[in-house]
Amino acid sequence: MTRQHGVSRADVAGEAGVSPTTVSLVLNGRADEKRVSKQTQERVREAAWRLRYVPNSAARAMVGRRHLTVGMVTRQPPSTLHLPIFEYFAVGAVEEAARRQHTVKILPPVTDVESYDVFAVLRDAHVDGIVVHNVGWLAQVLADWRMPVVYVGPGEDHDDLPLDRIGMVTTDEQGGMCSSARYLADVGHTTVGVVGNATPEGAPLRRMRAFIDEFAHHRGGISHYIDPGDWTWSPEDGHRATKQLLEAWPGITAVQVGSDWMAIGAMRALVEAGRRIPDDVAVVGFGDFPVSAFLNPPLTTVTWPLHDLGGKAVEMLLAQLDGKPDGLGAVVLPTELVVRSSTRQ
Amino acid sequence: MTRQHGVSRADVAGEAGVSPTTVSLVLNGRADEKRVSKQTQERVREAAWRLRYVPNSAARAMVGRRHLTVGMVTRQPPSTLHLPIFEYFAVGAVEEAARRQHTVKILPPVTDVESYDVFAVLRDAHVDGIVVHNVGWLAQVLADWRMPVVYVGPGEDHDDLPLDRIGMVTTDEQGGMCSSARYLADVGHTTVGVVGNATPEGAPLRRMRAFIDEFAHHRGGISHYIDPGDWTWSPEDGHRATKQLLEAWPGITAVQVGSDWMAIGAMRALVEAGRRIPDDVAVVGFGDFPVSAFLNPPLTTVTWPLHDLGGKAVEMLLAQLDGKPDGLGAVVLPTELVVRSSTRQ
DNA sequence: ACAGCCGGCGCCGGTTTTACT
DNA sequence: GAGTAAAACCGGCGCCGGCTG
């Protein structure tokens, strides 16, 4: 129950000695327009305050056809939700929503296709539209159920989304990775290790593939990588994967890691193996999270505008709700290589 | 609008050739109990699927008096919301809520007392209860408005909360800090620097005060600290504060930092100043976040069960909603010192 | 007549339009 | 014409009572 013993509009009306209509008028600021006398207004406000009256939000949503709420869906922990990635993104969304008098609701995370009951989720959603993070098929399905949708994410599976019905915001991860590949090649590296190519599904992540290709095509460098099976992009997994990588390919002089969080574990593994950073092995991360500039050594990495991603997604979703056309179609946010001490002596 | 051209229950009824009541019965699983024939059930389900019918969540919430939603409030960024602290806590809440068929909604963050319109927030909340993070006065006010509330947080201002009407979950931060103080004293430190004593309001954080007192009483050690004014508990602020600390008190042999995120900046500042960790200066953090064990060097710190904190808060809130008494009163979660290489050669 | 099935109707608590002193 | 109240409606849920074979 929203309130224990629901004080209703009628209670306030009784207390103030007016009709329920007048209570609505006064509390919604339409009293002057409707010529309710100042004394009556004051009486209503006084009564509402005394009773701590709050209009029932469900009733308002029903008649107003607006919840002023944006839903947000992502994958099941631990793959995404419990990583700070989600947070940076979510905070951007919350802030943009707040700017527009909306709030954000976190809908049940997705595990797999079969067990996700779209009907039940929508039935209990209380949401005007949904931002879908990193689950392409769900964006598609929600759109089929006539729910306004914006898809965001690294996008391994967003190729055939119907952009005339849904919005999409992505980041130019491949571009940033290509910058890194060219940079490492240009400063003389010819053999790098790649940590983070595999997703839980086993498909190579597109941005890692972009790195490998660019590193090969630019100056003919070679990328070695391992597939440690399921991982969660945690420092721990970066640590484990890098140890395996060093055993398999001891000759690498640089490591490109798939995220800064894994890069922290990777740097630790390198130090434990007696390699100096960057003297023996250079390290490049991905993400440029707030800690990255303060690590020992400060980490060279690719910026990833996750905060903007969340904000832009909400902006587009609200545009859709207002019937504006710019809430649909694709938007790509830029990335950039930031060189720090982990690659530079 | 939840759905562009609202398909209503009546539409499904028309399509299936039954009454609206029957549609509800079938879709809510009470069809067998009410002896609706299998054929009719199938016809209804078929029609509902064909029209992609979803019951209006606002209407359901109104009649059912339940939103199946838990609200969550914290302070305005950047003080809390955009720190990973929020994430660990929030994820615990989301997971526990999901376990109980509920979802979590992020309500507008609090800036200050005057500008926070409790009436408007509650009016648009669509929640059954609220978890308040770190804003004692708001927990009190919401309870006055008859909203079920659980307060969580480090708790500088929760001393006089009415525990007969609200739930409270805190962590034994002081205990963990005292362990750290005794440990540092026992291994021979007599003069430590403290980073993170000041909140934006200027009052010393209780857990930092606990450290200082215990360090003094246990073996007569001395704590030096500085107040760098407003800060956001970021690595950057930890870096800045530690630099100031080293200038003011060059003789310190250990640093107790208020959070692991600041500790990352603190370690960087120490390295930049040419101090070796732990040989010249030992470092202790607070939080034990996933990265902390993989830093260079791995960080000694105090565990902080933020994930459990979020889960427990939701658990208590839902207990309140079920009318159970154990949703009220105070619960304290334990902390623990974890010794790693940043204090041990 | 008596199960087995289904539909009419009032209600939840607001907003908005219209009508009435 | 100023000020307030009545009534329709939003879209579901569920109690009854009634219709069927």
Side-chain angles (χ1 to χ4, degrees), chain B residues 3 38 47 53 92 96 172 190 202 238 275 289 296 311 328:
Chain B
R3 284 159 287 114
K38 293 293 179 196
Y53 166 69
E96 178 64 21
D172 181 26
T190 54
R275 314 288 180 107
F289 302 139
N296 284 321
L328 300 173

Side-chain angles (χ1 to χ4, degrees), chain A residues 9 24 28 53 56 60 62-63:
Chain A
R9 198 177 51 143
S24 284
N28 290 323
Y53 167 69
N56 181 301
R60 279 175 56 98
M62 191 166 86
V63 61

Side-chain angles (χ1 to χ4, degrees), chain A residues 60-71 102 122 125-130 142-143 145-149 316-324, chain B residues 1-7 54-58 126:
Chain A
R60 279 175 56 98
M62 191 166 86
V63 61
R65 294 145 176 288
R66 276 279 187 144
H67 297 269
L68 300 177
T69 303
V70 171
H102 282 245
L122 288 177
H126 302 92
V127 146
D128 302 314
I130 298 180
L142 290 173
W145 285 84
R146 288 183 299 279
M147 176 61 75
V149 167
M316 288 179 73
L317 193 56
L318 296 186
Q320 278 186 45
L321 295 178
D322 290 345
K324 295 181 198 153
Chain B
M1 58 215 103
T2 301
R3 284 159 287 114
Q4 250 87 348
H5 286 298
V7 174
V54 178
N56 181 300
S57 56
H126 304 91

Side-chain angles (χ1 to χ4, degrees), chain B residues 74-337:
Chain B
T74 186
R75 278 214 244 272
Q76 171 80 350
S79 69
T80 305
L81 184 55
H82 90 186
L83 286 185
I85 288 176
F86 174 73
E87 190 208 349
Y88 303 137
F89 164 71
V91 170
V94 168
E95 289 181 2
E96 178 64 21
R99 216 166 289 135
R100 318 262 196 131
Q101 329 293 355
H102 282 244
T103 49
V104 171
K105 186 171 184 189
I106 301 171
L107 301 179
V110 177
T111 49
D112 58 305
V113 183
E114 295 81 32
S115 69
Y116 201 76
D117 187 346
V118 175
F119 176 83
V121 168
L122 288 177
R123 195 232 283 133
D124 297 331
H126 304 91
V127 296
D128 302 312
I130 298 179
V131 176
V132 180
H133 178 238
N134 209 349
V135 191
W137 63 263
L138 182 58
Q140 169 86 60
V141 169
L142 290 174
D144 291 343
W145 286 84
R146 288 183 299 278
M147 176 60 75
V149 167
V150 171
Y151 172 85
V152 299
E156 295 309 295
D157 53 355
H158 59 43
D159 285 327
D160 46 5
L161 288 181
L163 292 180
D164 55 327
R165 294 191 289 132
I166 81 176
M168 176 164 95
V169 193
T170 56
T171 57
D172 181 26
E173 299 165 37
Q174 284 85 322
M177 279 300 195
C178 289
S179 298
S180 171
R182 287 193 298 273
Y183 164 73
L184 287 175
D186 288 344
V187 297
H189 295 280
T190 54
T191 313
V192 311
V194 174
V195 176
N197 62 301
T199 65
E201 293 79 33
L205 191 62
R206 195 167 302 181
R207 63 172 181 257
M208 306 317 280
R209 174 59 57 195
F211 175 91
I212 292 166
D213 290 346
E214 183 72 11
F215 193 65
H217 295 150
H218 184 57
R219 286 185 188 268
I222 297 173
S223 303
H224 295 304
Y225 58 93
I226 42 121
D227 182 347
D230 270 12
W231 61 20
T232 63
W233 300 87
S234 66
E236 193 170 349
D237 288 331
H239 182 260
R240 179 165 54 87
T242 304
K243 271 171 68 177
Q244 292 179 27
L245 189 68
L246 285 173
E247 282 168 23
W249 311 95
I252 55 175
T253 61
V255 177
Q256 171 68 60
V257 191
S259 94
D260 283 5
W261 298 112
M262 285 206 300
I264 291 174
M267 291 207 292
R268 182 66 202 155
L270 287 166
V271 169
E272 286 172 354
R275 314 288 180 107
R276 289 167 303 165
I277 307 170
D279 312 66
D280 299 328
V281 179
V283 178
V284 182
F286 186 88
D288 193 26
F289 302 139
V291 297
S292 305
F294 296 93
L295 298 171
N296 284 321
L299 182 65
T300 292
T301 188
V302 176
T303 60
W304 198 10
L306 292 174
H307 188 276
D308 296 346
L309 190 68
K312 187 67 187 173
V314 168
E315 187 188 321
M316 288 180 72
L317 193 56
L318 296 185
Q320 277 186 44
L321 296 177
D322 289 344
K324 295 180 196 152
D326 45 347
L328 300 173
V331 172
V332 181
L333 302 179
T335 63
E336 196 179 345
L337 181 69

Side-chain angles (χ1 to χ4, degrees), chain A residues 19 92 194 234 238 285 310:
Chain A
S19 83
V194 174
S234 64

Side-chain angles (χ1 to χ4, degrees), chain B residues 16 18 22 26 36-46:
Chain B
V18 297
T22 309
V26 172
V36 175
S37 69
K38 293 293 179 196
Q39 299 96 310
T40 304
Q41 291 191 35
E42 196 41 52
R43 239 184 319 140
V44 169
R45 268 184 243 281
E46 166 66 30

